[in-house]
């Protein structure tokens, strides 16, 4: 058995991964603070409204996640190849696309809201409050998308510290601004939305200041002609569109898990809500290593250093395996204790306990989808990611369909929920295994192409 030796590559991985993890774990804290503020406004309507309005907001951000991922992969590749002009062009292309998308969302905010409210179907009072919340927050979409692109650019430049500073500052400001608006300015429920709006615009100003202070690689007077007619324009949009479609597919599976669980009754829906928290908690840590993979694999690919790429990918896989093992042990030994912290409803605790096997399997099954996503984003091999995700969705659909053929889920919710989680784990497994199978051959082909040229 080989002894683990801590190397310079490991230091580089942790230098990138740890700030990203620190940034990620502030996200649920923000959600908890918003819940705590609205939970003390005297009505459950406000809690439900934040959940409904926040869902619309989060779906938009999820679908626009390609702005961060695509910018990271393309920037890391350009950085590795030492093409400073390309690094500058990618920055401004990402900013331009984020701005256009933000303005588009604002222009269709009313029909977009109506579509989601029809899907969620809240009561009239909740719908009114959710509409108020979203129609305030939506004006923060353009700065938030631009900041997302800037963070992606920094990660591609091998820097996760500045995105961490931006993210944590925005989250802290969001909490402070919401508290001030609700209690000091007596803005009531709308104050929570105004706090988010204030944080998003201030975050953009902070991001712009950091960019201006950070690097000479970004010209503050962009060459518009090169941005629209320079090299790589087609690749920029191909990568962006592939990642957008992939995100839509993953979001579709996530929503399907929630919707199918809801059809099996309130208890099953509550159980799945708790179980998905275990998945999200693991994802906050694994995303850090995925971000490191995007930056380092992209840099090595851009530099055509395929020996270094293989070496760094092996170290990243070792760290991923270690994280999966750690979380497997935590969930194996502490799943019931964690569940007890999340809910005091006895029936939910008992059902989650009976579903413990799926919680134990989550880390070792999901880990490969996370880390290989990072590898493929770094290689800008986004079409392969999208096709593999489609295969995973097909697997998910087959397992769910077969389960329903055996027993209707609504009639047999205990059986149905187990089949639903088999389908979800199958979806994750196919994504990870599918990318893992393709990765070595891709690197060999790229290496051979380099030798020929």
């Amino acid at each position: 058995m080989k002894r683990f030796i801590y190397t310079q590559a490991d230091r580089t991985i942790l230098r990138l991964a740890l700030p990203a993890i620190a940034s990620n774990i502030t996200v649920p804290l923000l959600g908890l603070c918003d819940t705590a503020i609205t939970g003390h406004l005297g009505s459950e309507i406000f809690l439900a409204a934040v959940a409904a309005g926040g869902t619309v907001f989060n779906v938009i951000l999820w679908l626009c996640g390609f702005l961060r991922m695509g910018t990271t992969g393309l920037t890391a590749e350009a950085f590795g190849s030492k093409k400073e002009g390309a690094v500058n062009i990618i920055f401004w292309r990402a900013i331009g696309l984020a701005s256009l998308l933000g303005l588009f969302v604002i222009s269709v905010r009313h029909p977009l809201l109506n579509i989601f409210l029809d899907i969620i179907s809240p009561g009239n009072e909740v719908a009114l409050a959710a509409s108020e919340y979203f129609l305030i927050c939506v004006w923060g979409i353009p700065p938030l998308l631009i900041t997302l692109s800037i963070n992606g650019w920094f990660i591609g430049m091998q820097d996760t510290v500045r995105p961490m500073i931006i993210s944590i500052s925005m989250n802290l400001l969001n909490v402070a601004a919401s508290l001030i608006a609700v209690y000091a300015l007596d803005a009531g429920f709308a104050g929570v939305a105004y706090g988010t709006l204030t944080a998003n615009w201030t975050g953009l100003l902070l991001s712009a200041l950091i960019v201006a202070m950070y690097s000479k690689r970004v010209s503050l007077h962009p060459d518009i002609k090169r941005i629209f007619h320079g090299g790589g324009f087609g690749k920029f949009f191909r990568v962006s569109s592939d990642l957008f479609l992939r995100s839509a597919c993953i979001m579709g599976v996530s929503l399907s898990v929630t919707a199918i669980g809801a059809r099996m009754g309130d208890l099953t829906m509550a159980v799945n809500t708790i179980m998905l928290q275990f998945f999200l908690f693991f994802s906050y840590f694994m995303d850090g290593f995925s971000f490191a993979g995007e930056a380092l694999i992209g840099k090595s690919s851009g530099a055509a250093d395929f020996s270094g790429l293989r070496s760094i990918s092996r170290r990243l896989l070792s760290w991923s395996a270690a994280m999966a093992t750690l979380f497997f042990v935590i969930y194996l030994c502490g799943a019931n204790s964690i569940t007890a912290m999340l809910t005091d409803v006895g029936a939910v605790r008992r059902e989650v306990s009976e579903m413990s096997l799926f919680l134990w399997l989550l880390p070792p099954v999901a880990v490969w989808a996370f880390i290989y996503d990072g590898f493929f984003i770094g290689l800008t091999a986004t079409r392969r990611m999208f096709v593999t995700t489609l295969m995973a969705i097909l697997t998910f659909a087959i397992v769910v369909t077969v389960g329903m053929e055996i027993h209707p889920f609504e009639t047999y919710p205990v059986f149905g929920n187990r089949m639903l989680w088999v389908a979800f784990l199958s979806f994750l497994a196919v994504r990870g295994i599918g990318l893992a199978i393709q990765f070595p051959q891709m690197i060999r082909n790229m290496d051979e192409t380099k030798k020929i040229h």
Side-chain angles (χ1 to χ4, degrees), residues 11-32:
R11 283 190 285 274
T12 302
I13 289 169
L14 293 180
R15 176 180 62 80
L16 292 169
L18 293 179
I21 292 170
S23 177
N24 286 343
I25 60 179
T26 65
V27 174
L29 295 178
L30 172 62
L32 286 172

Side-chain angles (χ1 to χ4, degrees), residues 111-336:
L112 196 64
L113 175 64
N114 291 334
I115 290 170
F116 276 98
L117 289 180
D118 286 342
I119 294 171
I120 300 170
S121 299
N124 290 334
E125 290 183 291
V126 172
L128 287 172
S131 298
E132 179 185 25
Y133 177 84
F134 174 75
L135 291 174
I136 294 171
C137 287
V138 74
W139 293 96
I141 287 285
L144 190 57
L145 296 184
I146 295 171
T147 302
L148 197 67
S149 299
I150 292 173
N151 285 343
W153 183 82
F154 273 123
I155 296 170
M157 297 294 287
Q158 317 297 298
D159 182 351
T160 56
V161 172
R162 286 174 176 83
M164 177 190 71
I165 293 171
I166 293 168
S167 179
I168 292 177
S169 297
M170 286 178 66
N171 288 335
L172 291 176
L173 179 61
N174 194 335
V175 173
S178 295
L179 287 169
I180 291 170
V182 171
Y183 296 111
L185 301 180
D186 200 25
F189 173 67
V192 178
Y194 283 119
T196 299
L197 180 63
T198 301
N200 289 342
W201 279 102
T202 307
L204 175 59
L205 293 176
L206 175 62
S207 301
L209 179 62
I210 290 176
V211 168
M213 296 172 60
Y214 164 73
S215 176
K216 296 178 181 178
R217 290 189 173 95
V218 177
S219 169
L220 299 181
H221 303 285
D223 186 336
I224 302 298
K225 185 177 180 180
R226 287 192 66 196
I227 290 172
F228 286 99
H229 301 289
F233 195 75
K235 184 175 182 179
F236 178 86
F237 277 96
R238 176 183 61 77
V239 168
S240 297
S241 60
D242 287 341
L243 288 172
F244 171 81
L245 292 171
R246 166 193 166 274
S247 295
C249 290
I250 294 174
M251 184 186 70
V253 170
S254 178
L255 292 176
S256 295
V257 171
T258 301
I260 295 171
R263 285 169 53 190
M264 289 184 268
D266 293 342
L267 176 60
T268 301
M269 188 175 181
V271 167
N272 288 348
T273 299
I274 297 297
M275 292 180 68
L276 286 171
Q277 293 304 310
F278 284 78
F279 176 69
L280 289 173
F281 185 54
F282 177 62
S283 75
Y284 294 141
F285 284 81
M286 272 313 304
D287 272 345
F289 290 95
S290 180
F291 289 4
E294 294 172 24
L296 296 171
I297 295 294
K299 178 184 175 184
S300 297
S301 174
D305 177 14
F306 297 106
S307 174
L309 191 154
R310 290 186 180 95
S311 177
I312 201 70
S313 65
R314 285 193 292 269
R315 304 309 290 184
L316 281 161
L317 288 171
S318 296
W319 278 104
S320 299
M323 291 300 297
T325 302
L326 174 62
F327 273 85
F328 172 78
V329 172
I330 291 173
Y331 291 172
L332 179 66
C333 301
N336 289 339

Side-chain angles (χ1 to χ4, degrees), residues 339-385:
T339 302
M341 288 189 288
L342 295 174
T343 180
D344 58 1
V345 179
V348 174
R349 286 188 186 182
R350 285 191 297 273
E351 185 59 30
V352 171
S353 180
E354 291 177 8
M355 298 279 288
S356 291
L357 175 62
F358 297 99
L359 299 179
W360 303 340
L361 289 175
L362 264 175
V365 171
V367 62
W368 312 114
F370 280 105
I371 194 62
Y372 277 105
D373 269 2
F375 289 1
F376 277 69
I377 289 170
L379 294 171
T380 62
T382 50
R383 182 60 50 84
R384 288 175 179 262
M385 292 177 67

Side-chain angles (χ1 to χ4, degrees), residues 13-62:
I13 289 169
L14 293 180
R15 176 180 62 80
L16 292 169
L18 293 179
I21 292 170
S23 177
N24 286 343
I25 60 179
T26 65
V27 174
L29 295 178
L30 172 62
L32 286 172
C33 289
D34 278 355
T35 301
I37 294 171
T38 52
H40 287 82
L41 292 177
S43 173
E44 71 278 4
I45 289 171
F46 299 127
L47 280 170
V50 166
T55 297
V56 185
F57 197 73
N58 291 334
V59 167
I60 294 169
L61 291 183
W62 181 273

